[in-house]
Amino acid sequence: GGLKGDEYIDRLKIVKVEDEKTIRKVGHNLFEVAPEHPQPVAAEDFNLRQGAIEKSNVNSITMLRNMIDIMRTYEANQRVILTQDELIGRAVNDVARV
């Protein structure tokens, strides 16, 4: 929202939600709270900065490192499962021969 020249365009609706887990995304940039949950109320204590650019609330280097660690752990677990599957397959075949 804002002014286009001297013309009023829109107004921001800043609200407070009782439980943030009840918020669900609707479309690309809208959010709502399902009717069965307590509805948002007008926020009273907030800070709004015009023209400011919001930064990410995570450290991208740390998150990238964590993702790589998770991927390596997943791959190691996958190899363990494949090895166990091969061993079980061999055991079944060996028992069948006896």
Side-chain angles (χ1 to χ4, degrees), residues 67-98:
M67 286 175 50
I68 291 170
D69 289 345
I70 290 167
M71 185 177 71
R72 287 181 181 160
T73 302
Y74 177 82
E75 289 172 346
N77 288 329
Q78 184 181 23
R79 285 191 295 271
V80 168
I81 291 170
L82 290 174
T83 302
Q84 185 178 6
D85 187 46
E86 286 179 23
L87 292 174
I88 291 172
R90 287 182 192 168
V92 167
N93 289 331
D94 290 347
V95 168
R97 288 185 206 163
V98 173

Side-chain angles (χ1 to χ4, degrees), residues 23-34:
I23 299 173
R24 65 181 181 193
K25 191 170 182 177
V26 179
H28 295 290
N29 61 353
L30 298 175
F31 298 89
E32 73 177 6
V33 175

Side-chain angles (χ1 to χ4, degrees), residues 32-43:
E32 73 177 6
V33 175
E36 63 268 13
H37 297 292
Q39 294 301 297
V41 295

Side-chain angles (χ1 to χ4, degrees), residues 9-68:
I9 303 295
D10 204 352
R11 184 176 185 161
L12 294 175
K13 182 177 181 181
I14 301 173
V15 297
K16 179 180 170 186
V17 179
E18 188 174 306
D19 182 4
E20 292 180 9
K21 294 176 187 166
T22 62
I23 299 173
R24 65 181 181 193
K25 191 170 182 177
V26 179
H28 295 290
N29 61 353
L30 298 175
F31 298 89
E32 73 177 6
V33 175
E36 63 268 13
H37 297 292
Q39 294 301 297
V41 295
E44 296 175 11
D45 185 24
F46 62 90
N47 187 4
L48 180 65
R49 294 185 181 168
Q50 185 173 342
I53 298 175
E54 185 176 345
K55 293 183 180 180
S56 174
N57 62 351
V58 296
N59 181 323
S60 58
I61 302 298
T62 302
M63 290 297 111
L64 182 60
R65 190 182 70 225
N66 289 346
M67 286 175 50
I68 291 170

